[in-house]
CSV table of all heavy atoms in Angstrom, one decimal:
chain,number,residue,atom,x,y,z
A,1,PRO,N,9.2,16.4,-6.4
A,1,PRO,CA,8.3,15.4,-6.9
A,1,PRO,C,8.7,13.9,-6.5
A,1,PRO,O,9.6,13.6,-6.1
A,1,PRO,CB,8.5,15.5,-8.5
A,1,PRO,CG,9.1,17.0,-8.6
A,1,PRO,CD,9.9,17.2,-7.4
A,2,ARG,N,7.7,13.1,-6.8
A,2,ARG,CA,8.0,11.6,-6.6
A,2,ARG,C,9.3,11.1,-7.3
A,2,ARG,O,9.5,11.6,-8.4
A,2,ARG,CB,6.8,10.7,-7.0
A,2,ARG,CG,5.5,11.0,-6.3
A,2,ARG,CD,4.4,10.0,-6.7
A,2,ARG,NE,4.6,8.7,-6.4
A,2,ARG,CZ,4.8,7.7,-7.3
A,2,ARG,NH1,4.8,7.9,-8.5
A,2,ARG,NH2,5.0,6.5,-6.8
A,3,GLN,N,9.9,10.1,-6.6
A,3,GLN,CA,11.0,9.4,-7.3
A,3,GLN,C,12.2,10.3,-7.6
A,3,GLN,O,12.8,10.1,-8.7
A,3,GLN,CB,10.5,8.6,-8.5
A,3,GLN,CG,9.5,7.7,-8.2
A,3,GLN,CD,10.0,6.4,-7.4
A,3,GLN,OE1,11.0,5.9,-7.7
A,3,GLN,NE2,9.2,6.2,-6.3
A,4,THR,N,12.5,11.4,-6.9
A,4,THR,CA,13.5,12.3,-7.1
A,4,THR,C,14.6,12.2,-6.2
A,4,THR,O,15.7,13.0,-6.3
A,4,THR,CB,13.0,13.7,-7.3
A,4,THR,OG1,12.5,14.1,-6.1
A,4,THR,CG2,12.1,14.0,-8.6
A,5,GLY,N,14.6,11.3,-5.2
A,5,GLY,CA,15.7,11.1,-4.3
A,5,GLY,C,15.5,11.6,-2.9
A,5,GLY,O,16.5,11.8,-2.1
A,6,LYS,N,14.3,12.0,-2.5
A,6,LYS,CA,14.2,12.6,-1.1
A,6,LYS,C,14.6,11.7,0.0
A,6,LYS,O,15.3,12.1,0.9
A,6,LYS,CB,12.6,13.1,-1.0
A,6,LYS,CG,12.1,14.1,-1.9
A,6,LYS,CD,10.7,14.5,-1.7
A,6,LYS,CE,9.8,13.4,-2.0
A,6,LYS,NZ,9.6,13.0,-3.3
A,7,THR,N,14.0,10.4,-0.1
A,7,THR,CA,14.4,9.5,0.9
A,7,THR,C,15.9,9.2,0.9
A,7,THR,O,16.5,9.1,2.0
A,7,THR,CB,13.6,8.1,0.7
A,7,THR,OG1,12.2,8.5,0.8
A,7,THR,CG2,13.9,7.2,1.7
A,8,THR,N,16.5,9.1,-0.1
A,8,THR,CA,18.0,8.9,-0.3
A,8,THR,C,18.7,10.0,0.4
A,8,THR,O,19.6,9.9,1.1
A,8,THR,CB,18.4,8.7,-1.7
A,8,THR,OG1,17.6,7.6,-2.3
A,8,THR,CG2,19.8,8.5,-2.0
A,9,VAL,N,18.2,11.3,0.1
A,9,VAL,CA,19.0,12.5,0.7
A,9,VAL,C,18.7,12.4,2.3
A,9,VAL,O,19.7,12.7,3.1
A,9,VAL,CB,18.3,13.7,0.2
A,9,VAL,CG1,18.7,15.0,1.1
A,9,VAL,CG2,18.8,14.0,-1.3
A,10,LEU,N,17.4,12.1,2.8
A,10,LEU,CA,17.3,12.0,4.2
A,10,LEU,C,18.1,10.9,4.8
A,10,LEU,O,18.7,11.2,5.9
A,10,LEU,CB,15.9,11.7,4.5
A,10,LEU,CG,14.9,12.9,4.3
A,10,LEU,CD1,13.4,12.6,4.4
A,10,LEU,CD2,15.3,14.0,5.2
A,11,LEU,N,18.3,9.7,4.2
A,11,LEU,CA,19.1,8.7,4.8
A,11,LEU,C,20.6,9.1,4.8
A,11,LEU,O,21.3,8.8,5.7
A,11,LEU,CB,18.9,7.5,4.0
A,11,LEU,CG,17.5,6.8,4.0
A,11,LEU,CD1,17.4,5.7,3.1
A,11,LEU,CD2,17.3,6.3,5.5
A,12,ALA,N,21.0,9.8,3.7
A,12,ALA,CA,22.3,10.3,3.7
A,12,ALA,C,22.6,11.4,4.8
A,12,ALA,O,23.7,11.4,5.5
A,12,ALA,CB,22.8,10.9,2.4
A,13,LEU,N,21.6,12.2,5.0
A,13,LEU,CA,21.7,13.3,6.0
A,13,LEU,C,21.7,12.7,7.4
A,13,LEU,O,22.5,13.1,8.3
A,13,LEU,CB,20.5,14.4,5.9
A,13,LEU,CG,20.5,15.4,6.9
A,13,LEU,CD1,21.7,16.3,6.7
A,13,LEU,CD2,19.2,16.2,6.7
A,14,MET,N,20.9,11.6,7.6
A,14,MET,CA,20.9,11.0,8.8
A,14,MET,C,22.3,10.4,9.2
A,14,MET,O,22.9,10.6,10.2
A,14,MET,CB,19.9,9.8,8.9
A,14,MET,CG,19.9,9.0,10.1
A,14,MET,SD,18.9,7.5,9.9
A,14,MET,CE,19.7,6.5,8.8
A,15,GLU,N,22.9,9.7,8.1
A,15,GLU,CA,24.2,9.2,8.3
A,15,GLU,C,25.4,10.2,8.6
A,15,GLU,O,26.2,10.2,9.5
A,15,GLU,CB,24.6,8.4,7.1
A,15,GLU,CG,23.9,7.1,7.0
A,15,GLU,CD,24.3,6.2,5.7
A,15,GLU,OE1,25.4,6.6,5.1
A,15,GLU,OE2,23.6,5.3,5.4
A,16,HIS,N,25.2,11.5,7.9
A,16,HIS,CA,26.1,12.5,8.2
A,16,HIS,C,26.0,13.0,9.5
A,16,HIS,O,27.0,13.3,10.2
A,16,HIS,CB,25.8,13.6,7.1
A,16,HIS,CG,26.5,14.9,7.3
A,16,HIS,ND1,27.7,15.0,6.9
A,16,HIS,CD2,26.0,16.0,8.0
A,16,HIS,CE1,28.1,16.3,7.3
A,16,HIS,NE2,27.1,16.9,7.9
A,17,LEU,N,24.7,13.3,10.0
A,17,LEU,CA,24.6,13.8,11.4
A,17,LEU,C,25.1,12.8,12.4
A,17,LEU,O,25.8,13.3,13.4
A,17,LEU,CB,23.1,14.2,11.6
A,17,LEU,CG,22.6,15.3,10.8
A,17,LEU,CD1,21.0,15.3,10.8
A,17,LEU,CD2,23.3,16.6,11.1
A,18,ASN,N,24.8,11.6,12.3
A,18,ASN,CA,25.2,10.6,13.2
A,18,ASN,C,26.7,10.4,13.2
A,18,ASN,O,27.3,10.2,14.3
A,18,ASN,CB,24.5,9.2,13.0
A,18,ASN,CG,23.0,9.3,13.4
A,18,ASN,OD1,22.6,10.1,14.1
A,18,ASN,ND2,22.2,8.4,12.7
A,19,ALA,N,27.3,10.5,12.1
A,19,ALA,CA,28.8,10.3,11.9
A,19,ALA,C,29.6,11.4,12.7
A,19,ALA,O,30.7,11.2,13.2
A,19,ALA,CB,29.2,10.3,10.5
A,20,HIS,N,29.0,12.6,12.8
A,20,HIS,CA,29.6,13.8,13.5
A,20,HIS,C,29.4,13.7,15.0
A,20,HIS,O,30.1,14.5,15.7
A,20,HIS,CB,29.3,15.1,12.8
A,20,HIS,CG,29.9,15.2,11.5
A,20,HIS,ND1,29.3,14.7,10.3
A,20,HIS,CD2,31.0,15.8,11.1
A,20,HIS,CE1,30.1,14.9,9.3
A,20,HIS,NE2,31.1,15.6,9.6
A,21,GLY,N,28.5,12.8,15.5
A,21,GLY,CA,28.4,12.6,16.9
A,21,GLY,C,27.6,13.8,17.7
A,21,GLY,O,27.4,13.5,18.9
A,22,ARG,N,27.3,14.9,17.0
A,22,ARG,CA,26.6,15.8,17.8
A,22,ARG,C,25.1,15.6,17.9
A,22,ARG,O,24.5,16.0,18.9
A,22,ARG,CB,26.8,17.2,17.1
A,22,ARG,CG,26.2,18.4,17.9
A,22,ARG,CD,26.7,19.6,17.4
A,22,ARG,NE,26.2,20.7,18.3
A,22,ARG,CZ,26.4,21.9,18.1
A,22,ARG,NH1,27.1,22.4,17.1
A,22,ARG,NH2,25.9,22.8,18.9
A,23,TYR,N,24.5,14.8,17.0
A,23,TYR,CA,23.2,14.5,17.0
A,23,TYR,C,23.0,13.0,16.9
A,23,TYR,O,23.8,12.5,16.3
A,23,TYR,CB,22.4,15.3,15.9
A,23,TYR,CG,22.5,16.8,15.9
A,23,TYR,CD1,23.4,17.4,15.1
A,23,TYR,CD2,21.8,17.6,16.8
A,23,TYR,CE1,23.5,18.9,15.1
A,23,TYR,CE2,21.9,19.0,16.9
A,23,TYR,CZ,22.7,19.6,16.0
A,23,TYR,OH,22.9,20.9,16.1
A,24,ARG,N,21.9,12.5,17.3
A,24,ARG,CA,21.4,11.2,16.9
A,24,ARG,C,20.2,11.3,16.1
A,24,ARG,O,19.1,11.6,16.7
A,24,ARG,CB,21.2,10.3,18.3
A,24,ARG,CG,20.9,9.0,18.0
A,24,ARG,CD,20.8,8.2,19.2
A,24,ARG,NE,22.2,8.0,19.6
A,24,ARG,CZ,22.4,7.4,20.8
A,24,ARG,NH1,21.5,6.9,21.5
A,24,ARG,NH2,23.6,7.3,21.3
A,25,ALA,N,20.4,11.0,14.9
A,25,ALA,CA,19.3,11.1,14.0
A,25,ALA,C,18.8,9.7,13.6
A,25,ALA,O,19.5,8.7,13.6
A,25,ALA,CB,19.7,11.8,12.7
A,26,LEU,N,17.5,9.6,13.3
A,26,LEU,CA,16.9,8.3,12.9
A,26,LEU,C,15.8,8.6,11.7
A,26,LEU,O,15.3,9.7,11.6
A,26,LEU,CB,16.2,7.5,14.0
A,26,LEU,CG,15.0,8.2,14.7
A,26,LEU,CD1,13.7,7.5,13.9
A,26,LEU,CD2,15.0,7.6,16.1
A,27,TYR,N,15.6,7.6,11.0
A,27,TYR,CA,14.6,7.7,9.9
A,27,TYR,C,13.5,6.8,10.2
A,27,TYR,O,13.8,5.5,10.5
A,27,TYR,CB,15.3,7.4,8.5
A,27,TYR,CG,14.2,7.4,7.4
A,27,TYR,CD1,13.8,8.5,6.8
A,27,TYR,CD2,13.7,6.1,7.0
A,27,TYR,CE1,12.9,8.5,5.8
A,27,TYR,CE2,12.9,6.1,6.0
A,27,TYR,CZ,12.4,7.2,5.4
A,27,TYR,OH,11.5,7.2,4.4
A,28,ALA,N,12.3,7.3,10.3
A,28,ALA,CA,11.2,6.4,10.4
A,28,ALA,C,10.1,6.7,9.4
A,28,ALA,O,9.7,7.7,9.1
A,28,ALA,CB,10.5,6.7,11.8
A,29,ASN,N,9.8,5.7,8.6
A,29,ASN,CA,8.8,5.7,7.5
A,29,ASN,C,7.4,5.4,8.1
A,29,ASN,O,7.1,4.3,8.6
A,29,ASN,CB,9.2,4.7,6.5
A,29,ASN,CG,8.3,4.9,5.2
A,29,ASN,OD1,7.2,5.4,5.3
A,29,ASN,ND2,8.7,4.4,4.1
A,30,ILE,N,6.6,6.4,8.2
A,30,ILE,CA,5.3,6.2,8.7
A,30,ILE,C,4.3,6.3,7.6
A,30,ILE,O,3.0,6.6,7.8
A,30,ILE,CB,5.0,7.2,9.9
A,30,ILE,CG1,5.1,8.6,9.4
A,30,ILE,CG2,5.9,6.9,11.0
A,30,ILE,CD1,4.6,9.7,10.4
A,31,GLU,N,4.7,6.1,6.3
A,31,GLU,CA,3.8,6.1,5.3
A,31,GLU,C,2.6,5.2,5.4
A,31,GLU,O,1.5,5.6,5.0
A,31,GLU,CB,4.6,5.8,4.0
A,31,GLU,CG,3.7,6.1,2.7
A,31,GLU,CD,4.6,5.8,1.5
A,31,GLU,OE1,5.8,5.6,1.6
A,31,GLU,OE2,3.9,5.9,0.4
A,32,THR,N,2.6,4.1,6.0
A,32,THR,CA,1.6,3.2,6.2
A,32,THR,C,0.5,3.8,7.2
A,32,THR,O,-0.7,3.4,7.2
A,32,THR,CB,2.0,1.8,6.8
A,32,THR,OG1,2.7,2.0,8.1
A,32,THR,CG2,3.0,1.1,5.8
A,33,ALA,N,0.9,4.9,8.0
A,33,ALA,CA,-0.1,5.5,8.8
A,33,ALA,C,-1.1,6.3,8.1
A,33,ALA,O,-2.2,6.6,8.6
A,33,ALA,CB,0.6,6.4,9.8
């Protein structure tokens, strides 16, 4: 549901993946599309 932390989880996952160096993850908000 809305306002339950989905974006916060995705941003943390991005940082986690990038910190381990195997992947290069990015977050792009295309909500305005």
Side-chain angles (χ1 to χ4, degrees):
R2 292 182 72 243
Q3 300 291 312
T4 57
K6 295 179 298 295
T7 301
T8 301
V9 167
L10 286 174
L11 291 171
L13 181 62
M14 177 189 69
E15 288 180 15
H16 170 81
L17 293 169
N18 288 337
H20 288 82
R22 185 164 185 184
Y23 301 103
R24 181 172 294 176
L26 66 92
Y27 173 81
N29 184 340
I30 56 171
E31 189 172 352
T32 57

